[in-house]
Amino acid sequence: MSVKQYLCGPCLVDKGEIVGVVYCRECEEPLCGHCKQDHARIKVSKHHKLVDFADVPPKEIHEFLKNLIACPNHEKQEVVSLCKDHDMSCCNKCAMADHRKCEEVKVLSDMVHDIKVDCTGLKTVLHDLQQQSESLLEHERKHEELVYEMKSKVVSSLQTVKQKLLNMYTQLENEVLSSIADKKKVIGEKIKTNNEQSRQFLNHIKQQLAFIENVEQFGTNEHVLLLKRKIEKESVCRLKSTVDE
Ligand SMILES: [Zn+2]
Ligand SMILES: [Zn+2]
Ligand SMILES: [Zn+2]
Ligand SMILES: [Zn+2]
């Protein structure tokens, strides 16, 4: 209950905010010490039931109780009887207007007279239903968990497959690259050998040309003839066959 609800109701109208000391059930408001005295003095409120704030139900419970006993047809009337013929609760107005000829109209205060209404059976039924709905919730929770687990299992096996494929790819890549490296090495050596041979061949030709130069300059015509014959016989054939190779 909020602080506002403890303020004296009658005083709030004309005097202002004064803290209440008791609660009047009939007026449904707190009363200050002064108003409490007035209440006891005035004839109409003399018999009002004044209670401690601790005995005042919370607002929503109070409303609930009020609605529970209110007549479904007459908002301001309280239900006083049950008509078994119509299976209806009714106030005095209803009883007079609609149920005068009904055979079984029971007055509530007679029905509960001297007995405490027992809700044990109903409570048991409700508790059973509560348990059932809780176990349904639990079942669904487990179901959800299972679905979640299934998903993570699938994800993990997909990852395993992915890893295997990646490993296979890496292996393939390594094999291809190392085979290319081997071929490159072989070809490189071959090129080196060929270059060496070409260089030797070139040197040899240059040497022959130099011989011709020198013999033409320093030798006689006979020298030139002999050299020409020698080069043609020994070298040209060999050089030609080397080039062909
Ligand atoms: Zn007051
Ligand atoms: Zn009152
Ligand atoms: Zn009524
Ligand atoms: Zn009736």
Side-chain angles (χ1 to χ4, degrees):
M1 206 180 255
S2 72
V3 175
K4 191 111 196 158
Q5 282 169 300
Y6 284 113
L7 297 175
C8 175
C11 288
L12 212 55
V13 180
D14 41 51
K15 289 188 211 158
E17 298 188 348
I18 296 178
V19 177
V21 292
V22 293
Y23 186 84
C24 176
R25 277 206 194 274
E26 276 74 15
C27 302
E28 293 175 7
E29 62 185 6
L31 301 169
C32 68
H34 187 74
C35 293
K36 183 188 169 189
Q37 280 179 359
D38 285 353
H39 233 60
R41 208 157 31 78
I42 297 165
K43 213 174 182 179
V44 284
S45 58
K46 212 185 222 166
H47 302 295
H48 284 185
K49 196 155 190 252
L50 303 181
V51 296
D52 230 33
F53 287 119
D55 295 330
V56 181
K59 198 171 182 218
E60 63 275 13
I61 302 295
H62 177 75
E63 284 299 311
F64 187 75
L65 292 173
K66 224 166 121 180
N67 288 334
L68 200 62
I69 206 156
C71 170
N73 300 319
H74 306 92
E75 211 186 311
K76 295 205 170 121
Q77 301 291 315
E78 286 191 356
V79 164
V80 290
S81 51
L82 287 180
C83 171
K84 299 242 167 156
D85 297 20
H86 289 97
D87 191 21
M88 271 175 73
S89 57
C90 29
C91 71
N92 282 326
K93 278 191 186 175
C94 293
M96 291 292 281
D98 307 324
H99 307 278
R100 252 196 297 188
K101 286 181 183 155
C102 296
E103 289 192 347
E104 233 187 320
V105 179
K106 302 237 174 185
V107 178
L108 284 180
S109 58
D110 291 346
M111 289 172 79
V112 299
H113 187 66
D114 274 350
I115 48 157
K116 175 94 180 150
V117 181
D118 184 21
C119 284
T120 318
L122 178 62
K123 279 185 190 168
T124 311
V125 170
L126 289 176
H127 280 136
D128 284 351
L129 287 173
Q130 185 185 10
Q131 259 169 13
Q132 281 175 29
S133 35
E134 275 167 359
S135 56
L136 270 177
L137 280 174
E138 176 64 10
H139 176 81
E140 289 310 316
R141 196 188 59 75
K142 278 188 181 152
H143 197 179
E144 204 173 42
E145 221 172 66
L146 219 69
V147 171
Y148 184 78
E149 263 173 35
M150 197 173 75
K151 192 198 156 196
S152 51
K153 271 183 192 161
V154 169
V155 168
S156 111
S157 58
L158 277 175
Q159 271 170 347
T160 312
V161 171
K162 186 179 168 185
Q163 197 50 52
K164 275 185 188 162
L165 287 174
L166 277 174
N167 290 346
M168 279 162 73
Y169 173 79
T170 310
Q171 201 188 345
L172 179 71
E173 192 183 58
N174 287 342
E175 278 168 13
V176 169
L177 287 180
S178 100
S179 132
I180 286 176
D182 288 349
K183 285 212 171 78
K184 195 182 154 199
K185 199 173 156 199
V186 172
I187 291 170
E189 271 161 16
K190 183 85 185 155
I191 288 173
K192 209 169 138 193
T193 315
N194 286 347
N195 281 344
E196 193 54 39
Q197 279 177 355
S198 299
R199 238 175 268 123
Q200 276 176 16
F201 180 66
L202 188 64
N203 284 342
H204 186 74
I205 290 173
K206 279 180 181 167
Q207 205 177 35
Q208 303 307 312
L209 285 170
F211 283 148
I212 295 173
E213 270 312 273
N214 285 321
V215 172
E216 275 179 342
Q217 193 182 346
F218 302 109
T220 61
N221 232 1
E222 285 83 351
H223 283 121
V224 177
L225 175 72
L226 287 171
L227 180 65
K228 190 186 168 210
R229 202 177 149 267
K230 180 177 156 70
I231 291 175
E232 278 173 350
K233 196 180 167 193
E234 288 176 8
S235 296
V236 174
C237 267
R238 195 159 61 87
L239 290 175
K240 271 185 179 166
S241 76
T242 310
V243 172
D244 286 345
E245 262 177 43

